[in-house]
Amino acid sequence: MRTDSSEARSAGSSADSAEGSSTLGPAARRHLAIAQRVADAHRGIDDASLLAFVSGSTVDDLIDELSDVDMSVVFARLPGEAVLREACRRAASGPAAEAGRVGERGGGEGEGEGEWAWTLGNLDHPTEGGVVSFRLDGIEVQIGYATEAGLAADIDDLLVRHNPDTPNHKLAEGIDKALPLAGAERLRSLQARLAHFPDGLARAMVEHGLNAKPTHWRAARQIIHRDAPLWSREIQVEACYGLLLVLCGLNRRWFTRFQVKRMRRLAQRLPLAPANLVPRIEQLLSAPPREGFDALHALEAEVLALVAAQMPEVDLAPVRRRHLAYSAGVSTG
């Protein structure tokens, strides 16, 4: 049963969504308004535990024609799939929804809106969670549903267990920059937890990036002569992911290879990094195998020098032995 009035929902939503939104452009404000409608439609399920926030391109103010609304909704316990589906349908109905459709798109966008197009996870389990997608005002909305305990465990995976290689890094990055839609104090508490990047996690990221999928320089030395462009490119791509993880560890930045986007924006936030990092990655990945490996070898050498200077406790001996296996066997003539 839904327990709150429309007046109370309106007051709560305006207080939450006002935080941090004043500098957004028109497109981002429109996405924020859609997210707020969706959050408000979840009020009355369990307002005592409701936490909702929006992140992604909306808060970065980087909206384009393909941008979706990336948001999360958290309860103490999930109420079940049927209740959540109905909440999304409510977001597509009522005066606010009609005003959004007519005012922004000229009408005609409402058919099928609020109906889930796809889902991932188990949303009928009270302690699990999942992701759903639907459209409002012709714009895709993706909601990550979670429980308080599940969200806390995901954050502990980073801050306590120091997991260097998990999509939870993307979750942490999203929470760091998120704007509240409901439960602003709870969001601020999560952001305060994430404000201190653990030294143990930073080191784990560096070591994992260097050693979990080490670059096989001896193999690289051999395959550049053997008509193996796909294998060559596979090694180069894996190595670039590893180097990015190392650099993010050195700079105390969240990183996951899951859906890496906006690399230039990421590189701007890495003061400890080789010069021209992104152009060099792009060039080596488009070069012929030999030239690509030469460029990658030089880039790795610079990253290893940064690690030696910034984290001298990391054992680089095995990495350097592998690194030397390439230059020892490739003619420079």
Side-chain angles (χ1 to χ4, degrees), residues 195-328:
H196 174 68
F197 200 103
D199 290 341
L201 176 59
R203 176 171 175 172
M205 291 169 68
V206 170
E207 293 178 336
H208 191 82
L210 293 174
N211 298 308
K213 292 185 178 180
T215 302
H216 296 288
W217 286 111
R218 190 179 301 276
R221 184 183 70 190
Q222 296 169 345
I223 66 176
I224 57 176
H225 306 294
R226 295 185 177 174
D227 189 23
L230 292 178
W231 188 8
S232 296
R233 199 65 79 215
E234 178 185 7
I235 293 174
Q236 292 164 1
V237 169
E238 286 290 345
C240 289
Y241 276 128
L243 294 179
L244 284 173
L245 180 58
V246 170
L247 291 170
C248 286
L250 288 178
N251 288 274
R252 273 66 172 176
R253 289 285 177 183
W254 310 109
F255 179 78
T256 174
R257 59 183 293 164
F258 176 68
Q259 298 181 349
V260 176
K261 296 183 287 187
R262 309 193 198 283
M263 278 216 309
R264 284 171 175 75
R265 187 179 176 88
L266 171 64
Q268 290 171 357
R269 299 175 178 179
L270 302 178
L272 299 173
N276 302 312
L277 176 63
V278 174
R280 291 170 69 180
I281 289 175
E282 291 175 336
Q283 289 166 11
L284 78 87
L285 291 178
S286 61
R290 167 64 188 272
E291 288 81 355
F293 277 121
D294 288 350
L296 176 62
H297 196 251
L299 185 62
E300 183 182 86
E302 294 179 41
V303 172
L304 293 180
L306 285 169
V307 175
Q310 301 296 324
M311 281 191 185
E313 67 273 19
V314 174
D315 181 10
L316 292 177
V319 186
R320 284 177 167 150
R321 284 195 295 270
R322 292 192 298 268
H323 186 81
L324 289 172
Y326 181 75
S327 54

Side-chain angles (χ1 to χ4, degrees), residues 42-58:
H42 288 76
R43 294 182 185 271
I45 297 173
D46 178 8
D47 289 358
S49 72
L50 174 62
L51 165 64
F53 54 87
V54 62
S55 193
S57 57
T58 300

